[in-house]
Amino acid sequence: NAGVTQTPKFRVLKTGQSMTLLCAQDMNHEYMYWYRQDPGMGLRLIHYSVGEGTTAKGEVPDGYNVSRLKKQNFLLGLESAAPSQTSVYFCASSSTSGGSYEQYFGPGTRLTVT
Amino acid sequence: ELKVEQNPLFLSMQEGKNYTIYCNYSTTSDRLYWYRQDPGKSLESLFVLLSNGAVKQEGRLMASLDTKARLSTLHITAAVHDLSATYFCAVGTGTASKLTFGTGTRLQVTL
């Protein structure tokens, strides 16, 4: 099992450009999440999904859109990148069985917006 | 709004010493998670605490949860250099168990 994978690992964008980050999980998890981590800070939730076709806003959703067309994939889009979106983005997934809702994280995508 | 506070933010300790990291949170929850992050890496799950009084131990690390005090602790026993990393606590809320993270404790274990 690959667990949670993210594509790409690194990206540099110019202000105003758009891009999509892809998260894939092979654990058949129902829940998926996108977080961002800024230097010296903990992670902050951007958007999350409790199932295929459903998404919801987290703590810092502005400037981002998401889609979950397939259970195993969760896409994060930046329509018009801004320097404030320079960050490391982590995807995570969790299962509803067992009751722990433990989240498993991907390796991260380091995004720089110039 | 849920607030999660960790202290200390930075901890330098000698090998062989003991220390405790504290995690306070502002609203009721019975799901508390501890993660480890090495520089430039992702988060590694250490402990999942799901009830008041829960205590879990793995090697030199022990985590506990007091939901009434809204406090979790991560105790380090006889620290070794390999424990050097940043440790995060996170509180889970809601049906999707969304995580709110603390700002992290950067632990440096010196020889």
Side-chain angles (χ1 to χ4, degrees):
Chain A
N1 284 355
V4 180
T5 58
Q6 292 182 232
T7 310
K9 290 186 169 51
F10 303 94
R11 185 74 187 266
V12 178
L13 286 180
K14 293 184 190 284
T15 297
Q17 288 184 319
S18 62
M19 78 164 294
T20 300
L21 283 67
L22 170 64
C23 175
Q25 52 96 3
D26 61 2
M27 298 176 282
N28 201 36
H29 285 171
E30 293 82 3
Y31 295 170
M32 296 186 76
Y33 314 80
W34 276 107
Y35 294 88
R36 63 178 286 175
Q37 183 177 31
D38 298 306
M41 297 181 67
L43 279 67
R44 291 182 292 167
L45 182 64
I46 305 171
H47 286 280
Y48 64 99
S49 169
V50 298
E52 184 177 317
T54 70
T55 62
K57 294 179 180 180
E59 182 186 352
V60 288
D62 294 343
Y64 305 95
N65 55 75
V66 288
S67 65
R68 190 151 177 219
L69 300 179
K70 295 182 179 181
K71 185 177 183 179
Q72 63 268 33
N73 295 338
F74 195 27
L75 278 63
L76 178 71
L78 287 73
E79 289 186 348
S80 180
S84 61
Q85 294 178 305
T86 293
S87 190
V88 181
Y89 292 86
F90 289 100
C91 176
S93 70
S94 71
S95 170
T96 57
S97 62
S100 75
Y101 299 97
E102 183 177 4
Q103 293 187 20
Y104 297 85
F105 284 82
T109 294
R110 187 173 296 273
L111 175 66
T112 301
V113 183
T114 61
Chain B
E1 181 188 347
L2 172 60
K3 299 283 187 187
V4 181
E5 294 183 350
Q6 282 182 241
N7 68 83
L9 298 184
F10 178 74
L11 176 57
S12 180
M13 54 191 299
Q14 288 182 318
E15 277 200 335
K17 299 292 187 182
N18 305 332
Y19 208 83
T20 300
I21 299 170
Y22 297 88
C23 175
N24 292 273
Y25 54 99
S26 61
T27 61
T28 302
S29 174
D30 56 4
R31 274 172 265 157
L32 194 293
Y33 307 83
W34 284 95
Y35 289 90
R36 168 183 171 143
Q37 186 178 40
D38 292 300
K41 303 293 186 182
S42 185
L43 279 76
E44 173 191 354
S45 179
L46 294 175
F47 299 108
V48 178
L49 304 170
L50 299 177
S51 61
N52 186 41
V55 177
K56 290 196 174 179
Q57 182 163 7
E58 180 73 33
R60 300 174 188 275
L61 301 178
M62 183 173 73
S64 66
L65 178 61
D66 181 343
T67 59
K68 294 179 181 177
R70 299 175 186 167
L71 170 69
S72 180
T73 61
L74 180 66
H75 187 73
I76 302 153
T77 302
V80 293
H81 182 67
D82 285 352
L83 290 179
S84 297
T86 299
Y87 293 85
F88 292 97
C89 66
V91 176
T93 56
T95 53
S97 197
K98 303 180 295 291
L99 295 183
T100 301
F101 281 81
T103 50
T105 296
R106 184 173 160 222
L107 172 65
Q108 185 177 63
V109 181
T110 58
L111 298 172

